[in-house]
Amino acid sequence: MDCLFCKIINGDIPCSKVYEDDKVLAFNDIEPQAPVHILIIPKEHIKSAAEIDESNSVLIAHVFEVASKIAKDMKLDGFRIVNNCGDCAGQTVKHIHFHLMSGREFTWPAG
Ligand code: AMP
Ligand code: ZN
């Protein structure tokens, strides 16, 4: 499958790894939009948040456990988790991923 993030998971493309276990990988975004900008992805190829269902929701819950663990380990003083789902939301990589961002002020509502 021609998927950038599957290639990173397989080690075919390098990444700056932050966390890994048997189900999840987290690595620094190559084009950070905040001082801390980490992508957290399940190792299973799920295209987007629109594909979350009862068959994979436990895995997605684990992604959020990992986000919380990373935030604690890095002593983040607040953070934002972003998921872009679909073209209109700006999803460029079609392997579900969650942006964990911190280290600056974030505006709300998001643009
Ligand atoms: P999205 O626009 O929500 O699909 O997010 C995709 C993210 O992947 C962007 O923030 C990119 O900067 C990031 N990205 C693309 N290629 C790489 C890579 N090789 N290593 C790390 N992050 C990447
Ligand atoms: Zn993939």
Side-chain angles (χ1 to χ4, degrees), residues 41-98:
I41 66 176
K43 290 186 173 178
E44 178 185 330
H45 181 88
I46 298 167
K47 270 188 255 171
S48 77
E51 294 205 340
I52 297 173
D53 60 21
E54 64 280 358
S55 75
N56 55 30
S57 57
V58 170
L59 174 58
I60 299 303
H62 183 62
V63 167
F64 281 82
E65 280 180 41
V66 168
S68 172
K69 177 181 165 38
I70 292 170
K72 277 192 199 76
D73 289 350
M74 294 182 73
K75 298 185 169 39
L76 300 184
D77 181 24
F79 54 87
R80 177 170 286 183
I81 295 175
V82 174
N83 169 258
N84 297 321
C85 177
D87 291 332
C88 74
Q91 183 181 5
T92 57
V93 180
K94 303 304 197 262
H95 180 131
I96 192 170
H97 51 281
F98 295 84

Side-chain angles (χ1 to χ4, degrees), residues 1 3 5-6 45 94-95:
M1 188 190 309
C3 169
F5 287 174
C6 281
H45 181 88
K94 303 304 197 262
H95 180 131

Side-chain angles (χ1 to χ4, degrees), residues 4-5 8 13-15 27-33 37 39 83-84 89-94 97 99:
L4 173 65
F5 287 174
I8 288 178
I13 293 176
C15 73
F27 52 97
N28 288 308
D29 196 293
I30 206 166
E31 222 176 293
Q33 304 299 314
H37 187 169
L39 300 175
N83 169 258
N84 297 321
Q91 183 181 5
T92 57
V93 180
K94 303 304 197 262
H97 51 281
H99 301 253

